[in-house]
Amino acid sequence: MIKEITRKSMIIRPSGRSTDFISPSFGHGCLYNCSYCYMKRHKPEGLDIATNTMDILTAINNHCTFADIEKPNQTHEEYITYDISCNEDFALHLKYHEWQKIFEFFKNTPTAMGSFATKYVNVNLINYNPQGKIRIRFSLMPQVYADLLEPNTTKIIDRIKAIDAFIDAGYDVHINFSPVIVADNWLEEYKDLFHIVNDYVDYKDVVKCEVIFLTHNENKHKYNLVNNITGEEEYLWVPTIQESKISQYGGKNIRYKHNLKAEYIEEWTKLHNDIISWNTIRYIF
C-alpha cells in the first residue's frame, strides 16, 4: 500500500486561492477514505511517497527566487505560499516523510512559506517550532457529516481544540471549511459548528478561513456506488440542486446550481459572520 517513488515531474502550478502555488507532490494518495476526495478520483488506493525530497525542495527554492507575486495578497501579507500537500494528508502521513527537513527549508527560506490542509491532529508536529513559516489548515465540517463522509478522521472537536495548541507551538493556523455540504438542516448544523469554534478558539485575531462548497466527481460517484458506498452519495450526488461542470483538467464534476449556490453562500456567510465574524473569510466559492 505504501510505495516509494522518485518524483520526476517538478512542475510548480499556480493556485491563487489557498496558496500562491502548488509544489511537486511529496506524497500522492491517502490512507483515509473520504468519499468526496478529489485526489482519489485518480488514485483510489495506496500512497506513493517521493524519496527525492531535496530535489523537490530545490525546485521550490529555484521557483521562489524568481516568482513574480505581488505582496501582500490574500494568501499571505509577506511570504510566497506553497501548498505542499495537494494530493495527500501530510499530517496523517507524517512518519513516511522527511518532514523536519521540509519544514527546515521553509523556516530558513526568507521568502517562502509551506501550507497544507489536514483532517488529522498529529501531536508529533507540536514538538517542532516552524516559527510561523508553516500554515496548517484544519478542515472542519459538522460532525454529523464527518462521521459519514470522513470515516476514521480526527473528531471535529479535537481539530478545533488543536488550533490554539498549534499556534502556541509556532504554526500559522487557519480553518478550511471544505467541502460545505448542503442538506436538510444544514444551516443548523453549521450554526452549532460555529458556536463550538467560537467557544474553543482564543486566538481570534489570527485565525482566518477558506470556504469551498462541495464539488463532486462523476468517476468518484460511480466508484462509490460500485463499492456500495451509497449513504454518502445521498449527500454528495443530488442532481435536483446540482449542475454539471467540466473541470480545468477535463474531469466531469457536479456542483450546486449557480443561482442556488449564490443563495447558499449568502446564507452561510451571514450565519458565519453573525457568530464568528472575527474569523476572516479569505475566499469563498
Side-chain angles (χ1 to χ4, degrees), residues 61-123:
N61 183 66
N62 292 340
H63 184 272
C64 70
T65 300
F66 300 102
D68 184 17
I69 293 290
E70 289 189 12
K71 293 291 176 174
N73 64 15
Q74 65 86 12
T75 75
H76 198 272
E77 292 78 9
E78 180 182 358
Y79 304 130
I80 302 170
T81 52
Y82 292 85
D83 192 326
I84 63 171
S85 181
C86 186
N87 294 311
E88 62 163 333
D89 190 313
F90 193 89
L92 177 66
H93 306 149
L94 194 72
K95 66 181 180 180
Y96 302 111
H97 290 295
E98 297 179 284
W99 66 274
Q100 290 180 324
K101 184 181 293 185
I102 297 169
F103 286 14
E104 283 288 312
F105 164 80
F106 285 104
K107 186 166 71 172
N108 296 322
T109 302
T111 58
M113 178 185 199
S115 177
F116 61 90
T118 185
K119 303 176 185 69
Y120 180 61
V121 177
N122 193 326
V123 295

Short mmCIF file of all heavy atoms in Angstrom, two decimals, residues 61-123:
data_model
loop_
_atom_site.label_atom_id
_atom_site.label_comp_id
_atom_site.label_asym_id
_atom_site.label_seq_id
_atom_site.Cartn_x
_atom_site.Cartn_y
_atom_site.Cartn_z
N ASN A 61 12.87 26.12 -4.16
CA ASN A 61 13.83 27.20 -3.90
C ASN A 61 14.10 28.00 -5.18
O ASN A 61 14.11 29.23 -5.17
CB ASN A 61 15.13 26.62 -3.35
CG ASN A 61 16.12 27.70 -3.00
OD1 ASN A 61 15.91 28.49 -2.09
ND2 ASN A 61 17.23 27.75 -3.72
N ASN A 62 14.33 27.29 -6.28
CA ASN A 62 14.58 27.96 -7.55
C ASN A 62 13.36 28.79 -7.98
O ASN A 62 13.50 29.89 -8.52
CB ASN A 62 14.93 26.94 -8.63
CG ASN A 62 16.26 26.27 -8.38
OD1 ASN A 62 17.10 26.78 -7.63
ND2 ASN A 62 16.47 25.11 -8.99
N HIS A 63 12.20 28.24 -7.72
CA HIS A 63 10.97 28.91 -8.13
C HIS A 63 10.74 30.18 -7.32
O HIS A 63 10.45 31.24 -7.89
CB HIS A 63 9.78 27.97 -7.97
CG HIS A 63 8.48 28.54 -8.45
ND1 HIS A 63 7.66 29.29 -7.64
CD2 HIS A 63 7.87 28.47 -9.66
CE1 HIS A 63 6.59 29.66 -8.33
NE2 HIS A 63 6.69 29.17 -9.55
N CYS A 64 10.86 30.10 -6.00
CA CYS A 64 10.54 31.27 -5.17
C CYS A 64 11.58 32.37 -5.33
O CYS A 64 11.30 33.55 -5.05
CB CYS A 64 10.40 30.88 -3.69
SG CYS A 64 11.92 30.42 -2.85
N THR A 65 12.76 32.02 -5.82
CA THR A 65 13.79 33.03 -6.06
C THR A 65 13.37 33.99 -7.16
O THR A 65 13.70 35.19 -7.11
CB THR A 65 15.12 32.34 -6.45
OG1 THR A 65 15.54 31.48 -5.39
CG2 THR A 65 16.21 33.38 -6.71
N PHE A 66 12.61 33.49 -8.13
CA PHE A 66 12.24 34.32 -9.29
C PHE A 66 10.73 34.53 -9.42
O PHE A 66 10.29 35.19 -10.37
CB PHE A 66 12.78 33.68 -10.57
CG PHE A 66 14.27 33.51 -10.59
CD1 PHE A 66 14.87 32.28 -10.34
CD2 PHE A 66 15.10 34.61 -10.83
CE1 PHE A 66 16.24 32.13 -10.34
CE2 PHE A 66 16.48 34.46 -10.83
CZ PHE A 66 17.06 33.23 -10.58
N ALA A 67 9.95 34.00 -8.50
CA ALA A 67 8.49 34.12 -8.61
C ALA A 67 8.07 35.58 -8.55
O ALA A 67 8.52 36.34 -7.70
CB ALA A 67 7.82 33.33 -7.50
N ASP A 68 7.18 35.95 -9.48
CA ASP A 68 6.70 37.33 -9.56
C ASP A 68 5.30 37.38 -8.96
O ASP A 68 4.30 37.23 -9.66
CB ASP A 68 6.69 37.78 -11.02
CG ASP A 68 6.29 39.25 -11.16
OD1 ASP A 68 6.33 39.97 -10.14
OD2 ASP A 68 5.92 39.66 -12.27
N ILE A 69 5.25 37.60 -7.66
CA ILE A 69 3.97 37.64 -6.93
C ILE A 69 3.89 38.93 -6.14
O ILE A 69 4.82 39.27 -5.40
CB ILE A 69 3.85 36.43 -5.96
CG1 ILE A 69 3.73 35.13 -6.75
CG2 ILE A 69 2.64 36.60 -5.05
CD1 ILE A 69 2.43 34.96 -7.50
N GLU A 70 2.79 39.65 -6.30
CA GLU A 70 2.61 40.87 -5.54
C GLU A 70 2.19 40.54 -4.11
O GLU A 70 1.30 39.73 -3.88
CB GLU A 70 1.55 41.76 -6.19
CG GLU A 70 1.98 42.40 -7.50
CD GLU A 70 0.99 43.43 -7.99
OE1 GLU A 70 0.10 43.81 -7.21
OE2 GLU A 70 1.10 43.84 -9.16
N LYS A 71 2.87 41.15 -3.16
CA LYS A 71 2.53 41.01 -1.76
C LYS A 71 2.30 42.39 -1.17
O LYS A 71 2.96 43.35 -1.57
CB LYS A 71 3.66 40.29 -1.02
CG LYS A 71 3.85 38.83 -1.41
CD LYS A 71 2.67 37.99 -0.94
CE LYS A 71 2.79 36.55 -1.40
NZ LYS A 71 1.73 35.68 -0.85
N PRO A 72 1.35 42.52 -0.23
CA PRO A 72 0.53 41.45 0.33
C PRO A 72 -0.58 41.00 -0.63
O PRO A 72 -1.03 41.77 -1.48
CB PRO A 72 -0.06 42.09 1.58
CG PRO A 72 -0.12 43.55 1.24
CD PRO A 72 1.09 43.82 0.41
N ASN A 73 -1.03 39.75 -0.47
CA ASN A 73 -2.24 39.27 -1.11
C ASN A 73 -3.01 38.42 -0.11
O ASN A 73 -2.59 38.28 1.03
CB ASN A 73 -1.94 38.53 -2.42
CG ASN A 73 -1.14 37.25 -2.21
OD1 ASN A 73 -1.03 36.72 -1.10
ND2 ASN A 73 -0.58 36.73 -3.30
N GLN A 74 -4.12 37.84 -0.54
CA GLN A 74 -4.96 37.16 0.44
C GLN A 74 -4.35 35.86 0.98
O GLN A 74 -4.78 35.37 2.01
CB GLN A 74 -6.36 36.89 -0.14
CG GLN A 74 -6.44 35.93 -1.31
CD GLN A 74 -6.54 34.47 -0.90
OE1 GLN A 74 -6.78 34.16 0.27
NE2 GLN A 74 -6.36 33.57 -1.85
N THR A 75 -3.33 35.32 0.31
CA THR A 75 -2.71 34.11 0.84
C THR A 75 -1.75 34.42 1.98
O THR A 75 -1.61 33.65 2.92
CB THR A 75 -1.95 33.31 -0.24
OG1 THR A 75 -0.72 33.95 -0.56
CG2 THR A 75 -2.79 33.14 -1.49
N HIS A 76 -1.07 35.56 1.91
CA HIS A 76 -0.18 36.00 2.99
C HIS A 76 0.28 37.43 2.73
O HIS A 76 0.39 37.86 1.57
CB HIS A 76 1.04 35.08 3.12
CG HIS A 76 1.73 35.22 4.44
ND1 HIS A 76 2.73 36.16 4.67
CD2 HIS A 76 1.56 34.56 5.62
CE1 HIS A 76 3.14 36.06 5.92
NE2 HIS A 76 2.44 35.12 6.52
N GLU A 77 0.54 38.12 3.81
CA GLU A 77 0.97 39.52 3.69
C GLU A 77 2.38 39.65 3.13
O GLU A 77 2.71 40.62 2.46
CB GLU A 77 0.92 40.21 5.07
CG GLU A 77 -0.48 40.40 5.63
CD GLU A 77 -1.05 39.13 6.23
OE1 GLU A 77 -0.29 38.13 6.37
OE2 GLU A 77 -2.26 39.13 6.55
N GLU A 78 3.22 38.64 3.39
CA GLU A 78 4.64 38.78 3.07
C GLU A 78 5.20 37.63 2.26
O GLU A 78 5.96 37.83 1.31
CB GLU A 78 5.43 38.92 4.38
CG GLU A 78 6.92 39.06 4.22
CD GLU A 78 7.64 39.16 5.56
OE1 GLU A 78 6.96 39.15 6.62
OE2 GLU A 78 8.89 39.22 5.55
N TYR A 79 4.89 36.39 2.64
CA TYR A 79 5.56 35.23 2.07
C TYR A 79 4.86 34.70 0.82
O TYR A 79 3.64 34.78 0.67
CB TYR A 79 5.63 34.09 3.10
CG TYR A 79 6.29 34.48 4.39
CD1 TYR A 79 5.69 34.21 5.62
CD2 TYR A 79 7.53 35.13 4.39
CE1 TYR A 79 6.29 34.56 6.81
CE2 TYR A 79 8.14 35.49 5.58
CZ TYR A 79 7.52 35.21 6.79
OH TYR A 79 8.11 35.57 7.97
N ILE A 80 5.65 34.09 -0.08
CA ILE A 80 5.12 33.31 -1.19
C ILE A 80 4.71 31.96 -0.64
O ILE A 80 5.52 31.25 -0.04
CB ILE A 80 6.18 33.14 -2.30
CG1 ILE A 80 6.66 34.51 -2.80
CG2 ILE A 80 5.62 32.32 -3.46
CD1 ILE A 80 7.87 34.41 -3.71
N THR A 81 3.46 31.60 -0.82
CA THR A 81 2.92 30.41 -0.16
C THR A 81 2.84 29.23 -1.13
O THR A 81 2.41 29.37 -2.27
CB THR A 81 1.53 30.71 0.41
OG1 THR A 81 0.69 31.27 -0.61
CG2 THR A 81 1.63 31.70 1.57
N TYR A 82 3.24 28.06 -0.61
CA TYR A 82 3.25 26.82 -1.40
C TYR A 82 2.45 25.75 -0.67
O TYR A 82 2.71 25.46 0.51
CB TYR A 82 4.68 26.33 -1.60
CG TYR A 82 5.52 27.21 -2.49
CD1 TYR A 82 6.19 28.32 -1.96
CD2 TYR A 82 5.65 26.96 -3.85
CE1 TYR A 82 6.96 29.15 -2.76
CE2 TYR A 82 6.41 27.78 -4.66
CZ TYR A 82 7.06 28.87 -4.11
OH TYR A 82 7.82 29.70 -4.92
N ASP A 83 1.48 25.16 -1.37
CA ASP A 83 0.76 24.01 -0.84
C ASP A 83 1.63 22.78 -1.06
O ASP A 83 1.91 22.41 -2.20
CB ASP A 83 -0.59 23.85 -1.53
CG ASP A 83 -1.50 22.85 -0.81
OD1 ASP A 83 -0.98 21.87 -0.25
OD2 ASP A 83 -2.72 23.07 -0.82
N ILE A 84 2.08 22.16 0.02
CA ILE A 84 2.97 21.01 -0.08
C ILE A 84 2.22 19.68 0.01
O ILE A 84 2.83 18.62 0.04
CB ILE A 84 4.07 21.05 1.01
CG1 ILE A 84 3.46 20.95 2.42
CG2 ILE A 84 4.91 22.32 0.88
CD1 ILE A 84 4.46 20.78 3.53
N SER A 85 0.89 19.75 0.05
CA SER A 85 0.12 18.54 0.33
C SER A 85 -1.18 18.51 -0.46
O SER A 85 -2.21 18.11 0.06
CB SER A 85 -0.16 18.47 1.83
OG SER A 85 -0.90 17.32 2.18
N CYS A 86 -1.13 18.92 -1.71
CA CYS A 86 -2.34 18.99 -2.52
C CYS A 86 -2.93 17.60 -2.78
O CYS A 86 -4.13 17.46 -2.95
CB CYS A 86 -2.03 19.69 -3.83
SG CYS A 86 -3.48 20.01 -4.85
N ASN A 87 -2.08 16.58 -2.83
CA ASN A 87 -2.52 15.24 -3.22
C ASN A 87 -2.46 14.22 -2.08
O ASN A 87 -2.43 13.01 -2.32
CB ASN A 87 -1.66 14.74 -4.39
CG ASN A 87 -1.89 15.55 -5.64
OD1 ASN A 87 -3.03 15.76 -6.04
ND2 ASN A 87 -0.82 16.00 -6.27
N GLU A 88 -2.45 14.69 -0.84
CA GLU A 88 -2.40 13.78 0.30
C GLU A 88 -2.77 14.54 1.56
O GLU A 88 -3.02 15.75 1.52
CB GLU A 88 -0.99 13.18 0.46
CG GLU A 88 0.07 14.25 0.74
CD GLU A 88 1.36 13.68 1.31
OE1 GLU A 88 1.33 12.62 1.94
OE2 GLU A 88 2.40 14.34 1.12
N ASP A 89 -2.82 13.83 2.69
CA ASP A 89 -2.95 14.46 4.00
C ASP A 89 -1.60 14.35 4.68
O ASP A 89 -1.24 13.30 5.23
CB ASP A 89 -4.04 13.77 4.84
CG ASP A 89 -4.37 14.55 6.11
OD1 ASP A 89 -3.42 14.95 6.82
OD2 ASP A 89 -5.56 14.75 6.41
N PHE A 90 -0.83 15.43 4.63
CA PHE A 90 0.57 15.41 5.07
C PHE A 90 0.69 15.03 6.54
O PHE A 90 1.59 14.28 6.93
CB PHE A 90 1.21 16.78 4.81
CG PHE A 90 2.70 16.79 4.92
CD1 PHE A 90 3.50 16.51 3.82
CD2 PHE A 90 3.32 17.09 6.13
CE1 PHE A 90 4.89 16.52 3.92
CE2 PHE A 90 4.70 17.11 6.24
CZ PHE A 90 5.49 16.83 5.14
N ALA A 91 -0.19 15.56 7.38
CA ALA A 91 -0.11 15.28 8.81
C ALA A 91 -0.36 13.80 9.10
O ALA A 91 0.29 13.19 9.95
CB ALA A 91 -1.10 16.15 9.59
N LEU A 92 -1.30 13.21 8.39
CA LEU A 92 -1.59 11.79 8.56
C LEU A 92 -0.41 10.93 8.15
O LEU A 92 -0.08 9.92 8.79
CB LEU A 92 -2.82 11.41 7.73
CG LEU A 92 -3.22 9.94 7.74
CD1 LEU A 92 -3.67 9.50 9.13
CD2 LEU A 92 -4.31 9.67 6.71
N HIS A 93 0.28 11.31 7.08
CA HIS A 93 1.38 10.52 6.51
C HIS A 93 2.75 10.96 7.02
O HIS A 93 3.77 10.59 6.45
CB HIS A 93 1.36 10.63 4.98
CG HIS A 93 0.05 10.28 4.37
ND1 HIS A 93 -0.42 10.86 3.21
CD2 HIS A 93 -0.91 9.40 4.77
CE1 HIS A 93 -1.60 10.34 2.90
NE2 HIS A 93 -1.92 9.47 3.84
N LEU A 94 2.77 11.74 8.08
CA LEU A 94 3.99 12.41 8.54
C LEU A 94 5.18 11.46 8.67
O LEU A 94 6.29 11.78 8.23
CB LEU A 94 3.72 13.09 9.88
CG LEU A 94 4.77 14.11 10.33
CD1 LEU A 94 4.69 15.36 9.47
CD2 LEU A 94 4.57 14.48 11.81
N LYS A 95 4.98 10.29 9.24
CA LYS A 95 6.09 9.38 9.52
C LYS A 95 6.76 8.85 8.26
O LYS A 95 7.88 8.33 8.31
CB LYS A 95 5.62 8.22 10.39
CG LYS A 95 4.64 7.28 9.72
CD LYS A 95 4.21 6.18 10.68
CE LYS A 95 3.21 5.22 10.05
NZ LYS A 95 2.80 4.15 11.01
N TYR A 96 6.08 8.97 7.12
CA TYR A 96 6.66 8.50 5.86
C TYR A 96 7.51 9.56 5.19
O TYR A 96 8.21 9.27 4.21
CB TYR A 96 5.55 8.05 4.91
CG TYR A 96 4.68 6.96 5.46
CD1 TYR A 96 3.35 7.21 5.79
CD2 TYR A 96 5.18 5.68 5.68
CE1 TYR A 96 2.53 6.22 6.31
CE2 TYR A 96 4.37 4.68 6.21
CZ TYR A 96 3.06 4.95 6.52
OH TYR A 96 2.26 3.96 7.04
N HIS A 97 7.44 10.81 5.67
CA HIS A 97 8.13 11.92 5.04
C HIS A 97 9.36 12.37 5.84
O HIS A 97 9.43 12.16 7.06
CB HIS A 97 7.18 13.13 4.93
CG HIS A 97 6.09 12.97 3.94
ND1 HIS A 97 6.32 12.86 2.59
CD2 HIS A 97 4.75 12.92 4.09
CE1 HIS A 97 5.17 12.74 1.95
NE2 HIS A 97 4.19 12.77 2.85
N GLU A 98 10.28 13.01 5.15
CA GLU A 98 11.36 13.73 5.83
C GLU A 98 10.84 15.12 6.19
O GLU A 98 11.32 16.14 5.73
CB GLU A 98 12.58 13.82 4.90
CG GLU A 98 13.19 12.49 4.53
CD GLU A 98 14.37 12.63 3.58
OE1 GLU A 98 14.12 12.89 2.38
OE2 GLU A 98 15.53 12.50 4.03
N TRP A 99 9.84 15.12 7.06
CA TRP A 99 9.07 16.33 7.27
C TRP A 99 9.87 17.43 7.95
O TRP A 99 9.68 18.62 7.65
CB TRP A 99 7.80 16.02 8.07
CG TRP A 99 8.01 15.56 9.48
CD1 TRP A 99 8.23 14.27 9.89
CD2 TRP A 99 8.00 16.36 10.65
NE1 TRP A 99 8.36 14.23 11.26
CE2 TRP A 99 8.22 15.50 11.75
CE3 TRP A 99 7.82 17.73 10.89
CZ2 TRP A 99 8.27 15.96 13.06
CZ3 TRP A 99 7.87 18.19 12.21
CH2 TRP A 99 8.09 17.32 13.27
N GLN A 100 10.78 17.07 8.85
CA GLN A 100 11.58 18.11 9.51
C GLN A 100 12.50 18.80 8.50
O GLN A 100 12.72 20.01 8.59
CB GLN A 100 12.37 17.51 10.66
CG GLN A 100 11.48 17.10 11.84
CD GLN A 100 12.27 16.50 12.98
OE1 GLN A 100 13.27 15.80 12.76
NE2 GLN A 100 11.85 16.76 14.20
N LYS A 101 13.02 18.06 7.55
CA LYS A 101 13.85 18.64 6.50
C LYS A 101 13.02 19.62 5.66
O LYS A 101 13.50 20.71 5.29
CB LYS A 101 14.44 17.53 5.63
CG LYS A 101 15.40 18.02 4.55
CD LYS A 101 15.92 16.85 3.72
CE LYS A 101 16.80 15.92 4.52
NZ LYS A 101 17.39 14.84 3.66
N ILE A 102 11.79 19.24 5.37
CA ILE A 102 10.89 20.10 4.59
C ILE A 102 10.57 21.37 5.37
O ILE A 102 10.64 22.48 4.85
CB ILE A 102 9.60 19.35 4.23
CG1 ILE A 102 9.93 18.15 3.32
CG2 ILE A 102 8.60 20.28 3.55
CD1 ILE A 102 8.78 17.19 3.12
N PHE A 103 10.24 21.22 6.65
CA PHE A 103 9.90 22.38 7.47
C PHE A 103 11.10 23.28 7.68
O PHE A 103 10.97 24.51 7.70
CB PHE A 103 9.35 21.92 8.82
CG PHE A 103 7.94 21.36 8.76
CD1 PHE A 103 7.34 21.03 7.56
CD2 PHE A 103 7.22 21.18 9.93
CE1 PHE A 103 6.06 20.51 7.51
CE2 PHE A 103 5.93 20.67 9.90
CZ PHE A 103 5.34 20.33 8.68
N GLU A 104 12.28 22.69 7.83
CA GLU A 104 13.51 23.49 7.98
C GLU A 104 13.74 24.36 6.75
O GLU A 104 14.17 25.51 6.87
CB GLU A 104 14.72 22.57 8.21
CG GLU A 104 14.83 22.01 9.61
CD GLU A 104 15.24 23.06 10.63
OE1 GLU A 104 16.21 23.82 10.36
OE2 GLU A 104 14.58 23.14 11.68
N PHE A 105 13.47 23.78 5.59
CA PHE A 105 13.65 24.56 4.36
C PHE A 105 12.80 25.82 4.40
O PHE A 105 13.29 26.93 4.12
CB PHE A 105 13.27 23.72 3.13
CG PHE A 105 13.06 24.55 1.89
CD1 PHE A 105 14.15 24.99 1.15
CD2 PHE A 105 11.78 24.90 1.48
CE1 PHE A 105 13.96 25.78 0.02
CE2 PHE A 105 11.58 25.68 0.34
CZ PHE A 105 12.67 26.12 -0.39
N PHE A 106 11.52 25.68 4.72
CA PHE A 106 10.64 26.85 4.74
C PHE A 106 11.02 27.81 5.87
O PHE A 106 11.00 29.04 5.68
CB PHE A 106 9.19 26.42 4.84
CG PHE A 106 8.64 25.87 3.57
CD1 PHE A 106 8.46 24.51 3.40
CD2 PHE A 106 8.33 26.71 2.51
CE1 PHE A 106 7.96 23.99 2.21
CE2 PHE A 106 7.84 26.21 1.31
CZ PHE A 106 7.65 24.84 1.16
N LYS A 107 11.39 27.27 7.01
CA LYS A 107 11.76 28.14 8.14
C LYS A 107 12.98 28.99 7.80
O LYS A 107 13.08 30.14 8.23
CB LYS A 107 12.03 27.29 9.39
CG LYS A 107 12.28 28.13 10.64
CD LYS A 107 12.21 27.31 11.91
CE LYS A 107 13.39 26.38 12.07
NZ LYS A 107 13.40 25.73 13.40
N ASN A 108 13.88 28.43 7.00
CA ASN A 108 15.14 29.12 6.70
C ASN A 108 15.15 29.85 5.36
O ASN A 108 16.15 30.46 4.99
CB ASN A 108 16.30 28.13 6.74
CG ASN A 108 16.51 27.55 8.13
OD1 ASN A 108 16.38 28.24 9.13
ND2 ASN A 108 16.82 26.25 8.19
N THR A 109 14.03 29.78 4.62
CA THR A 109 13.93 30.48 3.34
C THR A 109 13.13 31.76 3.56
O THR A 109 11.92 31.70 3.84
CB THR A 109 13.25 29.59 2.28
OG1 THR A 109 14.00 28.38 2.13
CG2 THR A 109 13.20 30.31 0.94
N PRO A 110 13.73 32.91 3.44
CA PRO A 110 13.07 34.17 3.83
C PRO A 110 11.78 34.48 3.10
O PRO A 110 10.88 35.11 3.66
CB PRO A 110 14.14 35.23 3.53
CG PRO A 110 15.44 34.50 3.55
CD PRO A 110 15.13 33.13 3.03
N THR A 111 11.66 34.03 1.84
CA THR A 111 10.52 34.45 1.04
C THR A 111 9.39 33.42 0.96
O THR A 111 8.30 33.75 0.46
CB THR A 111 10.97 34.76 -0.39
OG1 THR A 111 11.59 33.60 -0.96
CG2 THR A 111 11.96 35.92 -0.41
N ALA A 112 9.61 32.19 1.43
CA ALA A 112 8.66 31.10 1.19
C ALA A 112 8.01 30.59 2.46
O ALA A 112 8.60 30.60 3.54
CB ALA A 112 9.34 29.95 0.46
N MET A 113 6.77 30.11 2.31
CA MET A 113 6.01 29.52 3.40
C MET A 113 5.32 28.26 2.91
O MET A 113 4.77 28.24 1.80
CB MET A 113 4.96 30.52 3.91
CG MET A 113 4.07 30.01 5.02
SD MET A 113 2.78 31.25 5.41
CE MET A 113 2.30 30.69 7.04
N GLY A 114 5.33 27.20 3.70
CA GLY A 114 4.64 25.97 3.36
C GLY A 114 3.27 25.92 3.98
O GLY A 114 3.03 26.51 5.05
N SER A 115 2.34 25.20 3.33
CA SER A 115 0.97 25.15 3.82
C SER A 115 0.36 23.80 3.46
O SER A 115 0.67 23.23 2.42
CB SER A 115 0.15 26.29 3.20
OG SER A 115 -1.20 26.22 3.60
N PHE A 116 -0.51 23.30 4.32
CA PHE A 116 -1.26 22.09 3.99
C PHE A 116 -2.53 22.00 4.83
O PHE A 116 -2.60 22.50 5.94
CB PHE A 116 -0.41 20.82 4.19
CG PHE A 116 0.07 20.59 5.60
CD1 PHE A 116 -0.67 19.86 6.52
CD2 PHE A 116 1.31 21.08 6.00
CE1 PHE A 116 -0.21 19.63 7.81
CE2 PHE A 116 1.79 20.85 7.29
CZ PHE A 116 1.01 20.13 8.19
N ALA A 117 -3.56 21.39 4.24
CA ALA A 117 -4.81 21.12 4.94
C ALA A 117 -4.75 19.71 5.51
O ALA A 117 -4.08 18.82 4.96
CB ALA A 117 -6.00 21.26 4.00
N THR A 118 -5.45 19.50 6.62
CA THR A 118 -5.45 18.17 7.24
C THR A 118 -6.73 17.91 8.00
O THR A 118 -7.40 18.84 8.48
CB THR A 118 -4.25 17.99 8.18
OG1 THR A 118 -4.23 16.64 8.68
CG2 THR A 118 -4.32 18.96 9.36
N LYS A 119 -7.06 16.63 8.10
CA LYS A 119 -8.18 16.18 8.92
C LYS A 119 -7.67 15.38 10.12
O LYS A 119 -8.44 14.72 10.81
CB LYS A 119 -9.14 15.31 8.09
CG LYS A 119 -9.68 16.00 6.86
CD LYS A 119 -10.53 15.05 6.02
CE LYS A 119 -10.98 15.70 4.73
NZ LYS A 119 -9.85 15.91 3.79
N TYR A 120 -6.34 15.44 10.35
CA TYR A 120 -5.72 14.64 11.40
C TYR A 120 -4.89 15.53 12.31
O TYR A 120 -4.06 16.32 11.84
CB TYR A 120 -4.81 13.58 10.77
CG TYR A 120 -4.11 12.69 11.77
CD1 TYR A 120 -4.83 11.89 12.64
CD2 TYR A 120 -2.71 12.65 11.82
CE1 TYR A 120 -4.18 11.07 13.55
CE2 TYR A 120 -2.06 11.83 12.72
CZ TYR A 120 -2.79 11.04 13.59
OH TYR A 120 -2.16 10.24 14.49
N VAL A 121 -5.12 15.42 13.60
CA VAL A 121 -4.31 16.15 14.57
C VAL A 121 -3.13 15.27 14.96
O VAL A 121 -3.27 14.31 15.71
CB VAL A 121 -5.13 16.52 15.83
CG1 VAL A 121 -4.24 17.21 16.85
CG2 VAL A 121 -6.31 17.41 15.45
N ASN A 122 -1.96 15.57 14.40
CA ASN A 122 -0.75 14.80 14.67
C ASN A 122 0.06 15.55 15.72
O ASN A 122 0.70 16.56 15.42
CB ASN A 122 0.07 14.61 13.40
CG ASN A 122 1.15 13.57 13.56
OD1 ASN A 122 1.73 13.42 14.64
ND2 ASN A 122 1.44 12.84 12.49
N VAL A 123 0.04 15.05 16.95
CA VAL A 123 0.69 15.76 18.06
C VAL A 123 2.21 15.78 17.92
O VAL A 123 2.88 16.59 18.58
CB VAL A 123 0.29 15.14 19.42
CG1 VAL A 123 -1.20 15.32 19.67
CG2 VAL A 123 0.68 13.66 19.48
#
